[in-house]
Amino acid sequence: MIRFILLQNRQGKTRLAKYYVPLEDSEKHKLEYEVHRLVVNRDPKFTNFVEFRTHKVIYRRYAGLFFSMCVDITDNELAYLESIHLFVEILDHFFSNVCELDLVFNFHKVYLILDEFILAGELQETSKKAIIERMNELERQE
Amino acid sequence: MGSQVGWGTSKEFTDIVKAIGEAKSKAEEERIVTAEIETLKKRIAEPDVPRKKMKEYIIRLVYVEMLGHDASFGYIHAVKMTHDDNLLLKKTGYLAVTLFLNEDHDLIILIVNTIQKDLRSDNHLVCCAALTAVCKLINEETIPAVLPQVVDLLQHPKEIVKKKAVMALHRFYQRAPHTVSHLLPKFQKAVIDTDPSVISAALCALYDLVTADARSYKNMTGSFVQILKQVAERRFPKPYDYHSTPAPFIQIKLLKILALLGAGDKPMSDNMYNVLGDVIRKNDSGTNIGNAILYETICTITSIHPHPKLLETAAEITSRFLKDINHNLKYMGIDALGRVIKINPEFAEEHQLAVIDCLEDPDDTLKRKTLDLLYKMTRSSNVVVIVERMISYMRTISDTHNKTEIASRIIELAERFAPNNQWFIQTMNQVFELAGDLVPPKVAHDLMRLIAEGAGEEDEDADSQLRSSAVESYLQVLGEPKLPSILLQVICWVLGEYGTADGAYSAMDIIGKLCDVIEGHPGDDAVKGYAITAITKICAFEISAGRRVQLPPEGRAVVEELSASHSTDLQQRAYELMTFLELPAEVVAIVMPMDASCEDIEIDKNLPFLKDIVETALSNGARPYIPEHERVEGGLGTLLAVTNNGPPSSSLRFEAYDKPVVPVPVVTPVQPTPSVTDYEERSDRRSARTPYPSHSVSVAPEIDLINPESTRLRLDGVQRKWGRQTYSTPSFTASTERERSSNGGSHVRDTGSAPYESSSRAAEKKKPPVEVSSEKQKLAASLFGGSSGSRTAPSGSAAVRGARVAAHKGHGHGPGGGDNKHQTSVSVPVPAASSTPNPAPVPQAPPPDLLDMTDGEPAPTAPRNDPFKLLEGLIDPQAGSGSGTSAPSAKADVDLMSLYGTGQSNPVDGGVQSSSQVGLSPLLGSTGLPSTVQPAGSPVVKKGPSPQGSLQKDATARQAGVTPTVVNPDLFKDLLG
C-alpha cells in the first residue's frame, strides 16, 4: 500500500503532498524534509529505492522535480517506479508537455488527477485514457 | 483541455505563487506566506463572498497548508463548500477536506451527512467525489452511516463508480474488518466483473483477505489463474496496456495473490505452473515493467510448491538481473537471489562476484540489500567474513534504527554460527562498542554465561584459557573512553569472576581497575553495582585462599561512598563487602566459592527450616499462606511488586534466569548450598549466582526441570546460541546434530516437537520447502564445510538440479537423481552418518570455499580474477556503445517518451538508457526553454498540440511575469523531455 506521495523540487519545496495514512502535521513536515534529504543527493545511476524507516521510498527525478512514493517493504519496487512514470505520462498528456510550472500553478488539478489515479493508497485506474477522459469531463463543467 | 494552458486563477494568486517561487530565502518565503494567511483570514470571513471567489480562497488555503503552514482557520469553509450544489465547488470542497482533515477530526461529523446525500446522487460525478472523500475521511464509527449507500453503489451502471465503491469497501475492511465482514463475498463478485479497473480494485481487497486467511480463498485459485491468463493473452482492453505490456499492475496483484494461495499447497500450485510459464514468456521484453512482472513471478515461483522447470527459469532471470548494469535490476536481482537460494542454496555461488560487486557498491540501498542477502546465506563456514562485513558497515551508519537492526542480526549470526568462543567474545565486544545500549541486555547476559560455562565440554584448560583471554581483552577495552553501560557491566562481571583466576593479575590490580570504573561512572548505578560486587568477589576469593585482604585506599573510599548511597541496592552491596572482609576463610569459601557461577544452588521450595516459625505464627492466629496463583486479583499488584516476579528494571538480575517462584527472604545466601559436583546438569541449568550474590536466589523452579518440554526447549536455545557446540561435540549422533542445526536454522518456523522426531522424515517432507532447504543448507555446511566440490557444477539450465545433487555429493556419490524431493530428504542421513568421525575440521579450519562470498582476496586468484576482467571487458564496450547510441538518438527524437519505450526493449542497454533518462534533463534542456526547441521532431505530434501548446504556455508564463530564475532553472523544463 502507498503511504504517501510527494512531489518536491530540488530545493525541497513541496509541490504536492498526499498522505494515505493519518499523520500529524508536524510528522508530515518532518517526513517531507527527510525524504527530500534522502533522495536529493543520490547519484542518478543508483537505485531508485531508499529504505525509509520501516518502509521504502521509491523515487524518480524528472527535470528538477522528484516524485517520491513511500510503500510497504514487501511491495514490488519496479512496479511502483513504473507507476510513477505512468503518473507523469498522464500529467504530460493532460498538460501537454508538462513542466514544473504547470504543476506549480495547477496543483489543485494535479491533486484531482492523483485522486483518479490512486485511491486509498492503491492504484485505482491504470488506463491513461480513462483518467484523461474523466479529467476532461470535469473540465467541461467549468 | 482549454484551461490548463491558462491557469484560471486570479492575478493575485498567481503573483503570490510567483513571489514564493522567486523567494530568495526561507525567511522571505515565510513572510510572504504569513501575509497571505492574514489576507485569507480577512477575506474568507467577509460576508457574502462570491462562491467562485471562495473556491479560489480554498485552493489558496490548500497551497498555504502544502507549504507547511497552518490553515485550520479555513477548514470550516472547506467543509461548507462540500455542501454546495455546484459540482466543481463541491469537488474543490471535498479535495480540500481530504487534504486538511484526518479521519478523527471533529469536523468530520459535519461532512457525513453531505456524503450520505451525495452517495445517493443521480450524477455519477457527485457520487465519485463523495466516494473519494469516503476513502479518506470515514472512520470506524461513521462506517455504518455510509455503508448501505456504498453497497448500493456496487451495482452502479458506471464502472468508475463501481470501482470506487469497491475500493471504499476495501478501505472499510482495513479500518474495521468486522463492520464489513458480511460483505466480503462482494469482492469475489467484483473480481469477475468485465471492467479491468473494477477487477483491479477487487484484487487489492482480495489480496488483503488472502493474506489474512488464505485457506478460505483456495477455491478461487482457478478464477485468479483464469484472469491472469486472460491478461497475459491480451484479452484486456487496450487502454490498460502500459508500454505495450497488458495490464501489468493487475498481473502483479494476481501474482502476489497466487503466491499466497500456492504456498505449501501442491494441488493449488499445480494449477498455476502453466500460467506462470506463460507470464514469463510474454513479459520477457526487457522493459522496466516487464522486469517488474518477471520479478513478481520469481516471488511467486519461490513461494509456491516448487516446480523444477520454473525454478530453473527463475534462476536464469535472477542471473540476468544480477548481471545487468542497471542498479535497479541488480537490486531486484539480489532480492530474487535471496528467494531462490531459500529453495536452492547452491545457486548463490554462481553469483559470488556479482554479489561482492553489489556489496562494494557506493549505493547504500544496494549495499544494505546485499547485506540482507548475506545474512540469509550465512553459515558457519562464512560467518566470520560476513559478520566482519556487517560490522564494518555498522561503523559507517549513524541512525539508530538501522544500527539496532544490523546489531541484532550480527548477534544472531554470531550466536548461531560462531566458530569459536574467542571470536564470539570479540565480535560481541565490537557490537557493544558500536551499538552500545541499542543491544538488548539479554545479549550481555548470554555473553557472560558463555564465558562462565565455556565450551560446555569437560575441557577445563580451554575454558580457563578463554576466560584469561576475555579478562585480558577487557582490561584493554577499559582503557578506551566512553564505553556503553552494558559493556561495562559485562566487563565488571568478568573481572570479578575471573580477573584473578589465572594469577596473571593481582587482586589489587583488578580492584584498582574496578574502583576506577566506579569513579568514572558516577551516574550509572547498574555499572556501580556490578563493579562493587566484582570487588566483593575478588576479596572473597582472596580470603578463602587464605590470604589477608586489605582494601586499597581508593577501594575503601568507594565502599564508604556506596554504603551511604541513595540507592539501597548499592548500599547493601557495600555492606556485604564489608561483612565479607570480617568473616573467616571457611565461611567465605562456602558462601562465595570460586568459579561457581555455573553451579546450581538447590533450593528447597518448602523451606522446612521455617516450619517452626510458621507453626508458631499459625497457632498465634495468623492467616495461612495463600499461594500466589490462588490470590484474588485485588491485592495482587503490590504483592507482585514485592515478590520480584520479573526483574525490576534497576536490578541486574539476568533476564534469562528462571522466574523465581518463591521469594526467599534471605540476605546472606546461607542455606542454598552449591552442589559443586553437579556437572551433569551444567548445560541445562544456568548460573545461580548472579553478580549480585545477595539477591541471587532466583533459581530455576523445580517445575522447569520436571517439565520436559520447557527444559528441552530452553536447552535447545542454549545449543543454538553457540553453534560450534553442536559441531564439536563428538558424542552427538549425527541425527541429533542435524536436528540441532535444523532447529537453530528454522527455529522461527518450527512448530515445537517436530525436529525431535528424527524418524519422521516423511513429515518433514511435507513441510514448506523453505525448511527443507535451510536444513540442507546447514547440513551441507556442517558436513563438508560448504560443498566445495560443487563449485564447478551448476551452470545454465542444469543449475537447479545440479546444485541440489551437489548438496549431497560431498562424499563420493550421493544417491543419484537427487532432484526428486522424496529422495533428497531420505538421503539426508546417509552423508550425515558418515561424517561423524570427523566433524572437527569444520569449526576449526573452515576450508576456503565458495561460501565465503566475501573472500575475494585470499581465494584462488587466477580463475576468480578472470570473470572480473571478462565482465569489465563486457561492460565497457557495451556501456560505451549504449551511451553512444542513446545520446544521439535522444537528440534525434526529441520525444523521449517513445525513446524510453523502445530503449528499454534492449535488455543490455536498458540500464544506460533508463539511468540517462532519469537524469537526462541536463543533456537536453540546456536552455531554460526547451519548449521552443521541441517542435523539431514529428513524434511530438502524437502527444497532443505540443508545439503550439508549449509556445502558448510559455507566453502565458511570461505574461504572468514568471521567468526561469536562478533559483529553479528547471521550472520550464519538460518533465518528460
Side-chain angles (χ1 to χ4, degrees):
Chain A
M1 178 192 164
I2 301 164
R3 303 291 151 148
F4 59 78
I5 292 176
L6 294 178
L7 265 67
Q8 297 167 309
N9 71 3
R10 272 193 292 183
Q11 289 74 37
K13 209 165 273 180
T14 305
R15 294 304 188 199
L16 176 135
K18 183 89 181 174
Y19 294 87
Y20 297 99
V21 283
L23 290 172
E24 290 297 312
D25 282 351
S26 56
E27 183 65 13
K28 289 180 185 173
H29 301 152
K30 209 170 138 222
L31 281 179
E32 285 164 31
Y33 174 76
E34 284 180 28
V35 169
H36 173 251
R37 242 188 21 176
L38 268 183
V39 301
V40 74
N41 284 326
R42 280 177 64 85
D43 193 307
K45 70 174 197 301
F46 281 3
T47 51
N48 293 78
F49 325 128
V50 201
E51 280 181 45
F52 179 66
R53 302 188 187 172
T54 51
H55 293 80
K56 56 195 173 195
V57 166
I58 316 292
Y59 75 96
R60 189 151 174 176
R61 184 179 158 179
Y62 292 90
L65 267 193
F66 288 93
F67 289 67
S68 311
M69 215 179 234
C70 179
V71 299
D72 291 344
I73 211 81
T74 52
D75 280 326
N76 184 326
E77 289 92 345
L78 275 184
Y80 278 110
L81 186 62
E82 287 309 283
S83 72
I84 291 179
H85 191 74
L86 176 56
F87 181 53
V88 177
E89 283 184 8
I90 294 167
L91 292 177
D92 193 61
H93 208 103
F94 182 75
F95 289 107
S96 50
N97 291 20
V98 66
C99 64
E100 187 179 340
L101 205 66
D102 292 313
L103 308 187
V104 174
F105 286 97
N106 293 297
F107 64 91
H108 53 292
K109 286 184 186 154
V110 182
Y111 275 116
L112 290 181
I113 296 174
L114 187 60
D115 274 347
E116 292 304 321
F117 183 51
I118 290 167
L119 187 61
E122 304 282 357
L123 294 181
Q124 70 156 319
E125 181 60 79
T126 52
S127 156
K128 203 190 306 180
K129 184 161 155 263
I131 293 179
I132 296 292
E133 269 170 12
R134 223 177 108 56
M135 287 309 292
N136 289 340
E137 197 175 359
L138 282 175
E139 293 274 312
R140 275 199 296 278
Q141 305 273 327
E142 237 171 289
Chain B
M1 270 200 233
S3 68
Q4 66 264 30
V5 176
W7 291 321
T9 43
S10 74
K11 172 97 173 60
E12 195 185 16
F13 182 42
T14 311
D15 285 346
I16 297 240
V17 175
K18 202 182 88 183
I20 289 173
E22 288 167 355
K24 293 272 185 304
S25 65
K26 192 82 195 155
E28 193 183 337
E29 182 188 314
E30 293 287 291
R31 230 177 7 254
I32 300 168
V33 179
T34 321
E36 165 78 350
I37 290 177
E38 286 313 309
T39 320
L40 284 175
K41 261 189 195 156
K42 240 187 354 254
R43 297 277 186 78
I44 227 163
E46 280 169 12
D48 302 328
V49 183
R51 293 192 307 170
K52 191 101 200 250
K53 206 80 197 144
M54 186 54 104
K55 179 186 158 209
E56 188 186 308
Y57 293 152
I58 299 289
I59 290 175
R60 283 160 73 170
L61 284 177
V62 173
Y63 191 68
V64 165
E65 187 110 321
M66 192 168 80
L67 291 174
H69 293 258
D70 177 40
S72 53
F73 62 90
Y75 289 177
I76 186 69
H77 297 279
V79 171
K80 271 194 213 150
M81 189 158 274
T82 61
H83 307 333
D84 205 292
D85 289 331
N86 179 307
L87 174 71
L88 281 176
L89 295 188
K90 187 183 273 299
K91 252 197 104 76
T92 309
Y94 275 131
L95 175 66
V97 288
T98 51
L99 290 168
F100 290 154
L101 308 181
N102 276 337
E103 52 179 22
D104 51 356
H105 199 280
D106 295 339
L107 289 175
I108 296 287
I109 206 70
L110 297 176
I111 310 173
V112 173
N113 203 11
T114 323
I115 290 181
Q116 277 180 321
K117 206 173 86 227
D118 289 344
L119 287 174
R120 283 193 293 260
S121 163
D122 294 334
N123 186 342
H124 72 276
L125 292 174
V126 173
C127 289
C128 285
L131 280 170
T132 309
V134 161
C135 287
K136 175 79 199 283
L137 299 177
I138 295 297
N139 57 23
E140 194 172 339
E141 283 102 77
T142 39
I143 286 175
V146 296
L147 190 57
Q149 288 91 321
V150 171
V151 173
D152 286 347
L153 289 178
L154 290 171
Q155 316 295 335
H156 200 278
K158 288 261 185 193
E159 283 85 19
I160 185 164
V161 179
K162 231 196 284 184
K163 149 187 92 181
K164 284 184 198 248
V166 172
M167 299 197 87
L169 211 54
H170 177 204
R171 191 61 158 181
F172 294 162
Y173 172 77
Q174 289 175 329
R175 279 292 138 74
H178 61 92
T179 53
V180 291
S181 51
H182 57 293
L183 294 166
L184 302 183
K186 299 271 182 201
F187 292 124
Q188 306 188 25
K189 207 169 146 232
V191 86
I192 47 172
D193 200 278
T194 49
D195 183 78
S197 65
V198 178
I199 295 176
S200 160
L203 287 176
C204 291
L206 284 167
Y207 175 68
D208 275 7
L209 292 173
V210 174
T211 310
D213 172 25
R215 224 171 315 146
S216 313
Y217 293 88
K218 295 263 182 191
N219 60 344
M220 290 190 70
T221 310
S223 322
F224 292 131
V225 168
Q226 210 49 42
I227 300 170
L228 184 55
K229 206 163 150 98
Q230 284 178 18
V231 181
E233 287 171 357
R234 295 185 178 274
R235 282 194 265 152
F236 265 43
K238 196 94 172 90
Y240 285 87
D241 283 10
Y242 171 77
H243 293 183
S244 52
T245 304
F249 300 100
I250 293 180
Q251 291 194 47
I252 287 169
K253 262 278 132 50
L254 281 164
L255 287 167
K256 275 183 183 294
I257 295 176
L258 289 183
L260 293 170
L261 289 175
D265 187 337
K266 188 157 187 314
M268 287 299 144
S269 306
D270 280 341
N271 296 331
M272 302 171 189
Y273 296 144
N274 270 335
V275 75
L276 291 177
D278 282 355
V279 169
I280 290 180
R281 265 192 302 286
K282 305 230 151 133
N283 287 296
D284 213 349
S285 56
T287 55
N288 259 349
I289 194 68
N291 288 332
I293 297 176
L294 289 183
Y295 163 78
E296 203 58 60
T297 320
I298 296 176
C299 296
T300 309
I301 289 173
T302 49
S303 152
I304 63 175
H305 187 87
H307 180 282
K309 191 89 202 338
L310 285 175
L311 277 174
E312 222 170 84
T313 321
E316 267 168 46
I317 300 168
T318 306
S319 332
R320 216 169 60 211
F321 283 0
L322 282 170
K323 284 176 191 144
D324 204 288
I325 47 168
N326 181 334
H327 273 58
N328 287 343
L329 280 188
K330 272 197 207 270
Y331 176 93
M332 302 312 270
I334 292 278
D335 189 275
L337 185 61
R339 293 168 191 273
V340 174
I341 59 167
K342 263 202 234 165
I343 315 279
N344 173 13
E346 307 308 322
F347 180 62
E349 69 198 62
E350 215 184 303
H351 299 287
Q352 304 174 56
L353 294 181
V355 173
I356 293 170
D357 277 354
C358 292
L359 192 64
E360 268 149 21
D361 200 277
D363 182 353
D364 192 61
T365 310
L366 196 53
K367 198 183 280 183
R368 287 255 290 274
K369 194 81 189 169
T370 314
L371 281 174
D372 275 3
L373 173 72
L374 290 183
Y375 164 73
K376 281 185 208 148
M377 52 191 278
T378 307
R379 317 179 189 186
S380 44
S381 56
N382 57 10
V383 66
V384 177
V385 203
I386 289 179
V387 167
E388 191 188 300
R389 290 281 174 171
M390 288 175 137
I391 287 179
S392 68
Y393 178 69
M394 201 156 87
R395 273 182 221 286
T396 65
I397 52 174
S398 54
D399 92 290
T400 47
H401 176 77
N402 292 340
K403 224 175 205 175
T404 317
E405 199 188 307
I406 296 266
S408 71
R409 287 187 162 187
I410 295 176
I411 291 161
E412 195 197 325
L413 292 180
E415 285 182 343
R416 206 193 282 173
F417 297 115
N420 56 55
N421 287 335
Q422 202 116 1
W423 179 86
F424 181 81
I425 292 168
Q426 269 160 11
T427 307
M428 285 300 117
N429 290 350
Q430 273 175 308
V431 172
F432 283 130
E433 268 178 66
L434 290 170
D437 297 324
L438 298 174
V439 184
K442 181 174 178 307
V443 176
H445 301 149
D446 285 342
L447 177 59
M448 288 189 253
R449 202 174 67 209
L450 170 76
I451 296 174
E453 288 180 354
E457 294 162 57
E458 305 301 312
D459 188 357
E460 279 298 328
D461 276 354
D463 288 357
S464 52
Q465 219 171 6
L466 170 80
R467 289 165 194 157
S468 308
S469 74
V471 169
E472 189 82 31
S473 70
Y474 284 140
L475 283 174
Q476 247 166 38
V477 170
L478 267 185
E480 289 169 29
K482 283 206 177 171
L483 293 170
S485 168
I486 195 148
L487 179 57
L488 280 168
Q489 292 168 24
V490 176
I491 293 177
C492 289
W493 187 82
V494 171
L495 290 184
E497 200 73 25
Y498 304 111
T500 54
D502 62 355
Y505 299 94
S506 76
M508 284 307 125
D509 286 351
I510 303 286
I511 292 176
K513 292 274 184 199
L514 290 167
C515 291
D516 290 348
V517 171
I518 295 180
E519 281 159 15
H521 301 86
D524 196 335
D525 278 0
V527 170
K528 283 199 278 189
Y530 268 92
I532 184 79
T533 303
I535 296 177
T536 309
K537 277 191 256 180
I538 289 174
C539 293
F541 298 157
E542 289 294 302
I543 293 171
S544 45
R547 288 187 282 271
R548 272 205 56 73
V549 174
Q550 194 70 47
L551 274 186
E554 73 257 37
R556 258 198 299 269
V558 162
V559 173
E560 251 161 55
E561 187 203 319
L562 291 189
S563 60
S565 164
H566 285 300
S567 156
T568 47
D569 177 70
L570 290 178
Q571 270 191 39
Q572 176 163 0
R573 284 159 199 278
Y575 280 114
E576 276 168 25
L577 172 54
M578 291 195 270
T579 316
F580 268 113
L581 292 175
E582 311 284 303
L583 288 173
E586 314 82 67
V587 178
V588 172
I590 293 173
V591 174
M592 192 72 91
M594 239 342 225
D595 187 17
S597 62
C598 300
E599 310 308 341
D600 296 316
I601 297 176
E602 280 178 9
I603 288 189
D604 190 344
K605 275 168 62 190
N606 296 323
L607 308 178
F609 60 93
L610 290 175
K611 219 169 172 187
D612 290 346
I613 304 175
V614 172
E615 265 162 21
T616 331
L618 282 176
S619 64
N620 285 346
R623 276 190 302 159
Y625 174 77
I626 308 166
E628 214 175 283
H629 54 91
E630 286 171 24
R631 281 174 222 167
V632 213
E633 280 295 319
L636 206 57
T638 45
L639 276 167
L640 274 179
V642 178
T643 56
N644 66 8
N645 201 349
S649 58
S650 67
S651 140
L652 290 168
R653 179 169 298 108
F654 294 180
E655 280 176 26
Y657 279 54
D658 301 309
K659 258 201 207 158
V661 168
V662 185
V664 187
V666 200
V667 177
T668 357
V670 180
Q671 115 279 8
T673 325
S675 58
V676 187
T677 51
D678 198 2
Y679 273 101
E680 277 180 359
E681 284 184 344
R682 236 171 87 155
S683 56
D684 305 38
R685 304 279 307 266
R686 267 141 316 115
S687 158
R689 204 179 76 199
T690 71
Y692 283 17
S694 58
H695 291 229
S696 67
V697 274
S698 54
V699 174
E702 231 132 90
I703 301 154
D704 249 11
L705 282 177
I706 293 160
N707 182 342
E709 183 140 0
S710 67
T711 316
R712 272 316 279 268
L713 276 176
R714 171 120 49 58
L715 170 67
D716 230 63
V718 175
Q719 286 296 339
R720 179 181 74 81
K721 295 282 136 93
W722 293 289
R724 82 214 124 45
Q725 245 180 25
T726 317
Y727 303 124
S728 56
T729 310
S731 59
F732 284 136
T733 65
S735 68
T736 347
E737 199 172 7
R738 190 194 57 77
E739 277 160 28
R740 281 179 199 283
S741 46
S742 94
N743 195 37
S746 53
H747 68 287
V748 185
R749 294 179 293 271
D750 274 348
T751 49
S753 61
Y756 296 103
E757 304 160 18
S758 55
S759 59
S760 65
R761 302 264 179 258
E764 258 163 57
K765 198 188 72 174
K766 285 195 201 102
K767 279 191 228 159
V770 179
E771 226 162 350
V772 178
S773 76
S774 88
E775 178 194 308
K776 250 197 260 173
Q777 180 182 342
K778 247 157 263 117
L779 193 69
S782 67
L783 291 186
F784 33 82
S787 72
S788 52
S790 60
R791 189 185 297 184
T792 53
S795 72
S797 62
V800 175
R801 196 161 8 133
R804 260 197 206 181
V805 179
H808 301 283
K809 76 176 178 194
H811 299 266
H813 298 281
D819 69 336
N820 177 316
K821 209 83 213 76
H822 184 69
Q823 281 186 12
T824 306
S825 41
V826 169
S827 72
V828 165
V830 180
S834 67
S835 77
T836 24
N838 55 347
V842 178
Q844 274 164 15
D849 70 44
L850 50 116
L851 296 166
D852 291 344
M853 294 293 302
T854 41
D855 206 359
E857 298 81 31
T861 46
R864 286 219 175 178
N865 279 347
D866 271 354
F868 265 129
K869 291 251 164 61
L870 258 169
L871 252 173
E872 275 168 15
L874 276 175
I875 290 164
D876 273 337
Q878 263 171 9
S881 75
S883 54
T885 50
S886 81
S889 72
K891 266 169 211 143
D893 310 328
V894 183
D895 185 0
L896 257 186
M897 287 187 41
S898 62
L899 171 79
Y900 181 74
T902 54
Q904 290 295 307
S905 62
N906 181 342
V908 185
D909 284 358
V912 179
Q913 299 251 350
S914 88
S915 62
S916 62
Q917 212 273 342
V918 175
L920 198 55
S921 36
L923 268 181
L924 267 184
S926 44
T927 71
L929 293 167
S931 41
T932 53
V933 186
Q934 285 286 26
S938 58
V940 183
V941 179
K942 77 172 178 217
K943 266 206 291 172
S946 97
Q948 293 85 350
S950 304
L951 284 172
Q952 245 172 0
K953 218 190 282 181
D954 182 47
T956 324
R958 286 181 185 278
Q959 257 173 24
V962 185
T963 43
T965 57
V966 204
V967 187
N968 187 1
D970 293 321
L971 207 52
F972 278 80
K973 214 171 272 179
D974 276 9
L975 291 186
L976 279 171

